[in-house]
Amino acid sequence: MQSPEAETTKFESKAPLSKDTTSPIQSESKTEPLTQVQADSVLTREQLPNRGFRIALTLITSVIILSVVAIYFGIIHP
């Protein structure tokens, strides 16, 4: 007599596999053509500021906001 733990279940998928698994957009879906205005508004990695500047700006902004909140709630007494 076998225990239920020893039983193995075999799952088979009948769905066809897509060759491009990295794209979140289905290739079969109908999309509208990209206009020139939409193409110009897309930001590329080269157009963004460098990574160090973005991290520093985020940290400085977070410290300022947290300081204002701490002063407001009386955690810091200036």
Side-chain angles (χ1 to χ4, degrees):
M1 183 174 190
Q2 288 184 336
S3 67
E5 298 167 352
E7 295 178 11
T8 59
T9 310
K10 189 175 184 181
F11 294 104
E12 291 185 21
S13 175
K14 302 290 183 188
L17 295 176
S18 175
K19 293 184 189 235
D20 183 21
T21 58
T22 59
S23 175
I25 300 173
Q26 297 292 334
S27 61
E28 295 84 28
S29 67
K30 295 180 181 178
T31 58
E32 295 179 8
L34 192 65
T35 64
Q36 186 62 38
V37 174
Q38 291 171 336
D40 289 342
S41 66
V42 174
L43 288 176
T44 61
R45 186 173 294 274
E46 290 81 23
Q47 293 171 329
L48 292 174
N50 66 4
R51 187 175 185 190
F53 177 75
R54 287 185 285 153
I55 292 172
L57 185 64
T58 303
L59 288 174
I60 291 170
T61 305
S62 299
V63 166
I64 290 172
I65 290 172
L66 288 174
S67 298
V68 169
V69 169
I71 290 170
Y72 178 78
F73 285 110
I75 297 171
I76 300 174
H77 302 287

